[in-house]
Amino acid sequence: MINRISTYTPTMMVSTNPPIVEIEDENTFEETLADVVSTQSTGDCPENLESIFETASETYHISLDLLKAVAKAESDFNPNCTSSSGAMGIMQLMPGTAKELGVTNAYDPEQNIMAGAKYLSENLDIFKDNISLAVAAYNAGRGAVKKYAGIPPYSETQSYVKKVLSYMNEDIEIPSSAVTT
């Protein structure tokens, strides 16, 4: 169920796909439920998002701080959110971009983070390691950045770039609510 939002901003996210908990046999339901509840309360994820970010950072030669800053700005590390424009998962991949990057399940944290890192790395290559332009392209599209030969004059994109850059200067902790199954 999605609750009505009293105020709207273009970057609001709603969770539409709850985590799937696979239960192998009926006798283990109580144990599985207890594991999920204890994982959510302690923040110990079955899949460690931190290690996925580190792997993505190393694989695509991208700053871990930049990668986590984009994820925080995009979804606050919520693997199950969908934006009003249809962007999905932690890195808020648009369906077409996800498909181009070979993602089969955009709500799978590993696929989503790896694809987001790859896309961000490609942006850095295209824009000659200019972080502001790469981040602007992540938000508004590469075409918009090329068209304006810089950060597009969209208030959302300009705010987004500032937000990501400010997050890069923080020690970002992945919240315990970003539980994956």
Side-chain angles (χ1 to χ4, degrees):
M1 169 185 258
I2 299 174
N3 293 330
R4 183 174 295 265
I5 299 170
S6 59
T7 58
Y8 171 80
T9 62
T11 57
M12 281 189 138
M13 312 296 167
V14 293
S15 180
T16 58
N17 291 359
I20 298 170
V21 178
E22 294 184 24
I23 301 170
E24 294 176 15
D25 118 16
E26 291 178 27
N27 295 330
T28 62
F29 176 76
E30 297 291 330
E31 293 170 3
T32 303
L33 183 60
D35 288 345
V36 170
V37 171
S38 69
T39 298
Q40 288 179 343
S41 62
T42 64
D44 297 329
C45 302
E47 289 181 323
N48 185 338
L49 291 182
E50 188 72 38
S51 68
I52 298 171
F53 279 107
E54 289 171 0
T55 299
S57 171
E58 292 168 14
T59 301
Y60 294 106
H61 309 289
I62 184 171
S63 158
L64 179 61
D65 291 336
L66 173 59
L67 191 58
K68 288 170 64 176
V70 168
K72 180 164 179 60
E74 289 290 343
S75 70
D76 199 23
F77 303 101
N78 181 348
N80 303 309
C81 71
T82 302
S83 76
S84 59
S85 63
M88 303 170 287
I90 293 171
M91 300 299 290
Q92 288 293 277
L93 302 174
M94 291 299 290
T97 304
K99 186 175 180 179
E100 287 174 19
L101 295 168
V103 174
T104 57
N105 178 359
Y107 296 100
D108 175 273
E110 185 170 7
Q111 287 186 49
N112 192 284
I113 293 167
M114 293 301 286
K118 181 178 183 181
Y119 188 71
L120 197 50
S121 176
E122 290 172 357
N123 286 351
L124 286 164
D125 288 343
I126 290 167
F127 298 106
K128 303 184 185 339
D129 292 322
N130 184 314
I131 292 172
S132 295
L133 295 182
V135 169
Y138 195 95
N139 177 261
R142 296 170 180 164
V145 174
K146 289 177 182 178
K147 175 181 176 181
Y148 291 101
I151 298 172
Y154 314 142
S155 59
E156 178 186 345
T157 301
Q158 292 175 358
S159 295
Y160 176 82
V161 171
K162 289 176 187 174
K163 183 188 299 187
V164 170
L165 295 178
S166 73
Y167 287 157
M168 283 183 65
N169 295 322
E170 297 176 11
D171 185 25
I172 298 174
E173 296 285 327
I174 299 172
S176 61
S177 62
V179 175
T180 61
T181 57

